[in-house]
Amino acid sequence: MNNWLIFLVLLAPVICGLLDALTPKRVFGIIGSFVSLLAIGGLWLGDHTAVSIPVLLPGVGITYGAEPLGLLLAGVTIVVWLGTSIFSVRYMKHEHAVPRFYVLFGLSVGGAIACFLARDFLALLLGFEVMSLASYGLVAHAKNDRAQRAGRLYLNLGVIGGVLVAIALALLWDHAGSLSYAKLHDIPLHIAVLLSLGFAIKAGAYPMHFWLPEAHPVAPSPGSALLSGILIKTGAFGLLQVASLTADGHTYGLVLIIVALVTMSLGVLLALVQHDAKKMLAYHSVSQMGYILLGIGLWAFDHNALGLGGAVLHIMNHALFKSALFLICGSALLSAGTVDLYKLGSMRKAFGLLTPLALIPALGIAGVPGFNGYVSKTLLHDALLHAHTPSALLVIAEKIFVLVAFGTVCSFIKFTWYVFFADRKSTSELPRTSVAEIAGIGVMVICIVALGLFPQPVLDTLAHTAHELHGHWPEHLEIFGHHALESAVMVLGGGLALFFIGLYTGLFHLHLPERFSTLAISSSLGRLVLATYGSISGVLARAWLALWGWFSREMDLLKVSLQCLDCRPNPSPSLRTLSVTNLNFDVYVVMAVLSVLIIMYPLVM
């Protein structure tokens, strides 16, 4: 019975996406997510079974199982799917290519769930690639140049990440003869690094973070909610698996901690000076990913159980409050026609008496006691204080943790003020927010409050998992103790003070020129490095550019040829919109890579 429940959870999003694409009511996602939640409950109460599907090579299969951490993350994914499906009932009436959106949305959700339920790296890679290719269509959904550029950037980085993971898995198979989590121990550091680079691109860790602020603002708000709330967490989940299995956890964890501190600092600083609400939330996804990576790094460094628990819980919490915040931006876009913070204001009139409901996600991410973000941030802070890292790094990390918390509180006071309470520049009347929008946001809000007030069942599950993985979980964990509450009040006060400083000094309006953007700086550094090598490097660079130009032209011709093969199953316009342009090219690339692996397998063995 449990095997069928696993298949139901994996396939329900894909089937419901297809049905929503073919019918005008768009209710199958809502029904399917309810059924999937019931299935997750059945798996939780049943045995921790697994199903294996043999593929490709003798002894190699893809395995999905009902393990506690995977079920927690899959459950949160389904909650986000439910909320965004309800919200989309009205929102997508104002968008084009709606059938295509629902097909890709269902594939993205299904791919993410497959990642969380995977019990081996090949199953994780399969879900990872399905999700990456499908979500590319969500990023490039709009017809404008900005969306298409962001889509190409997202797709290119996704392909690079997938190739790095595939190469690492080939090396891992050659080294260990298995890709199953249960059979792998002591992954060599060079393979762990390759895997981590692939997963870090999807997670949005520094310095591979620059695609997030490009992709999130252009995607439809339900797509942004899924991208930021769930899809980047698959990269974090992959990093967690690598951290648990790597041979040199000390070195790996230390590097990951440093990357985490840079990621969380850079994300919050860039978020503070944004005027586009969705771009601000995208940079906060970078910053909050820093918190998650910090916990994973502490777990890898010395099996810090609180680091593991804090990372997993913050993955869940961030999925909830960030998805809700992107849906609030979607409501603002429908009501006011803009997500510019300085042109919004007065959204309290659109939400009416339910305005407090819309404020709860901001309270969650700010770490206010009684809401979910407070619990996971307290866990991570305690993990940091109990870590056995070098003392100098520990002091620096603790200071950065607190300063980033100040910046997060400041950002969401700013977000709340300018979206809901500041006076609008326009005198036009705002239309009231629909029931579907409120209900979609409300699904996440209920979970934010529930996890904030009653976190113990999840904490017990995390403690049990940490013990199974030989981590030490404290017997007496005071989440709501005097010291933790005092720290939270201090952070809230510091964030409020920072908000008033930014408000009255104009720091919020500071904008770096385009040439100082992250992407521009990365390109400039690359050109500078080439220029410093002198004439020999210049010749090599010109040769590379010529080769790259030839390769690009050939690939463009191939892409145009493959686009001609793009499936259009019926002359009916409603079915023709189901065709996903450009995805055939990537399917052929994946088929080519798999073919090479199959051909090389007898030679390697």
Side-chain angles (χ1 to χ4, degrees):
M1 180 63 181
N2 280 356
N3 291 355
W4 288 107
L5 291 178
I6 291 175
F7 282 118
L8 173 62
V9 172
L10 289 170
L11 297 177
V14 180
I15 295 170
C16 292
L18 289 169
L19 292 174
D20 276 334
L22 295 170
T23 57
K25 294 295 184 181
R26 324 291 188 198
V27 297
F28 286 99
I30 301 172
I31 298 170
S33 53
F34 269 120
V35 173
S36 296
L37 281 176
L38 294 175
I40 287 289
L43 290 170
W44 189 270
L45 296 174
D47 297 330
H48 293 166
T49 57
V51 294
S52 294
I53 307 169
V55 294
L56 296 179
L57 306 177
V60 179
I62 55 176
T63 306
Y64 298 100
E67 296 298 322
L69 290 188
L71 289 177
L72 283 175
L73 297 178
V76 169
T77 302
I78 294 169
V79 169
V80 173
W81 174 30
L82 172 61
T84 50
S85 294
I86 297 172
F87 186 91
S88 299
V89 169
R90 177 168 184 250
Y91 186 92
M92 292 309 296
K93 289 180 179 179
H94 302 271
E95 291 282 345
H96 74 288
V98 177
R100 183 183 68 191
F101 170 86
Y102 278 103
V103 170
L104 297 178
F105 192 86
L107 285 168
S108 299
V109 173
I113 293 174
C115 290
F116 295 137
L117 296 185
R119 302 310 306 148
D120 62 71
F121 278 112
L122 186 59
L124 177 60
L125 177 62
L126 179 62
F128 196 74
E129 288 303 299
V130 169
M131 179 197 67
S132 296
L133 292 175
S135 56
Y136 153 69
L138 300 180
V139 175
H141 181 79
K143 296 180 179 179
N144 57 66
D145 291 340
R146 185 185 176 196
Q148 298 306 309
R149 285 196 303 271
R152 286 193 296 271
L153 176 64
Y154 179 81
L155 181 61
N156 290 337
L157 289 174
V159 169
I160 291 171
V163 168
L164 288 173
V165 173
I167 293 171
L169 294 189
L171 295 173
L172 185 59
W173 170 261
D174 182 60
H175 170 78
S178 175
L179 298 178
S180 172
Y181 300 153
K183 297 179 181 179
L184 287 173
H185 303 283
D186 300 334
I187 296 176
L189 188 59
H190 67 284
I191 298 178
V193 169
L194 274 177
L195 285 169
S196 300
L197 287 173
F199 292 132
I201 291 174
K202 182 61 66 182
Y206 180 86
M208 284 79 74
H209 66 284
F210 51 84
W211 66 266
L212 277 89
E214 299 296 323
H216 289 347
V218 298
S221 291
S224 296
L226 185 68
L227 282 166
S228 184
I230 299 299
L231 300 192
I232 65 172
K233 307 308 188 309
T234 59
F237 185 71
L239 289 170
L240 179 60
Q241 297 299 334
V242 176
S244 300
L245 298 170
T246 187
D248 191 355
H250 194 85
T251 302
Y252 182 88
L254 192 62
V255 172
L256 201 56
I257 290 169
I258 295 171
V259 170
L261 295 175
V262 175
T263 299
M264 61 201 300
S265 306
L266 182 69
V268 78
L269 286 173
L270 291 172
L272 282 168
V273 296
Q274 300 303 317
H275 64 88
D276 184 299
K278 292 182 74 174
K279 185 167 280 192
M280 188 197 90
L281 294 179
Y283 276 118
H284 270 295
S285 291
V286 176
S287 180
Q288 298 300 304
M289 184 55 66
Y291 281 102
I292 295 167
L293 296 180
L294 178 64
I296 296 173
L298 292 171
W299 166 247
F301 188 83
D302 61 357
H303 269 220
N304 188 318
L306 290 180
L308 170 67
V312 174
L313 186 55
H314 205 63
I315 288 174
M316 297 171 61
N317 290 340
H318 184 264
L320 295 168
F321 53 61
K322 187 53 69 65
S323 298
L325 287 165
F326 270 111
L327 295 186
I328 290 169
C329 284
S331 292
L333 194 61
L334 289 180
S335 296
T338 181
V339 287
D340 189 321
L341 289 172
Y342 306 126
K343 295 179 181 177
L344 274 169
S346 301
M347 278 297 293
R348 66 186 184 279
K349 297 178 181 178
F351 280 87
L353 295 176
L354 294 173
T355 296
L357 182 78
L359 302 182
I360 288 175
L363 298 175
I365 194 172
V368 176
F371 303 97
N372 62 349
Y374 165 80
V375 181
S376 53
K377 289 185 178 183
T378 300
L379 273 185
L380 289 168
H381 192 236
D382 286 351
L384 190 59
L385 294 178
H386 291 89
H388 298 136
T389 56
S391 57
L393 177 62
L394 184 61
V395 171
I396 294 171
E398 205 272 335
K399 301 300 181 187
I400 290 176
F401 190 99
V402 173
L403 290 174
V404 170
F406 283 172
T408 304
V409 172
C410 174
S411 283
F412 285 96
I413 294 175
K414 172 188 171 183
F415 177 88
T416 302
W417 172 256
Y418 280 111
V419 172
F420 289 97
F421 299 108
D423 293 330
R424 288 191 73 216
K425 303 298 181 185
S426 173
T427 57
S428 60
E429 190 70 20
L430 288 175
R432 294 301 295 267
T433 306
S434 69
V435 174
E437 295 168 62
I438 293 293
I441 297 168
V443 168
M444 263 76 83
V445 166
I446 291 170
C447 296
I448 290 169
V449 175
L451 282 173
L453 294 177
F454 309 106
Q456 199 57 47
V458 176
L459 294 178
D460 290 341
T461 300
L462 295 173
H464 178 70
T465 302
H467 282 306
E468 287 186 341
L469 296 173
H470 310 294
H472 175 67
W473 189 275
E475 291 184 7
H476 302 289
L477 186 62
E478 296 186 357
I479 294 295
F480 296 101
H482 174 73
H483 178 71
L485 291 172
E486 189 179 72
S487 298
V489 171
M490 181 194 70
V491 166
L492 294 173
L496 183 62
L498 186 59
F499 169 73
F500 282 114
I501 291 171
L503 186 65
Y504 290 109
T505 61
L507 288 177
F508 291 151
H509 298 277
L510 176 66
H511 297 293
L512 294 175
E514 185 64 28
R515 64 179 179 275
F516 292 120
S517 68
T518 308
L519 198 54
I521 290 174
S522 301
S523 300
S524 299
L525 286 175
R527 289 194 295 270
L528 180 62
V529 169
L530 285 176
T532 57
Y533 278 100
S535 58
I536 296 177
S537 296
V539 171
L540 292 175
R542 286 193 293 273
W544 166 253
L545 290 174
L547 180 62
W548 179 255
W550 171 82
F551 178 75
S552 298
R553 289 191 297 273
E554 292 299 318
M555 294 303 286
D556 286 340
L557 289 173
L558 178 61
K559 183 168 68 173
V560 170
S561 301
L562 292 176
Q563 282 176 347
C564 296
L565 302 175
D566 198 21
C567 178
R568 285 174 170 79
N570 195 289
S572 169
S574 61
L575 289 179
R576 190 162 56 244
T577 56
L578 295 177
S579 176
V580 185
T581 306
N582 292 331
L583 291 191
N584 278 341
F585 169 70
D586 302 290
V587 171
Y588 276 86
V589 170
V590 172
M591 289 173 62
V593 171
L594 292 177
S595 301
V596 171
L597 290 175
I598 292 171
I599 293 170
M600 292 181 64
Y601 175 72
L603 301 177
V604 174
M605 294 304 293

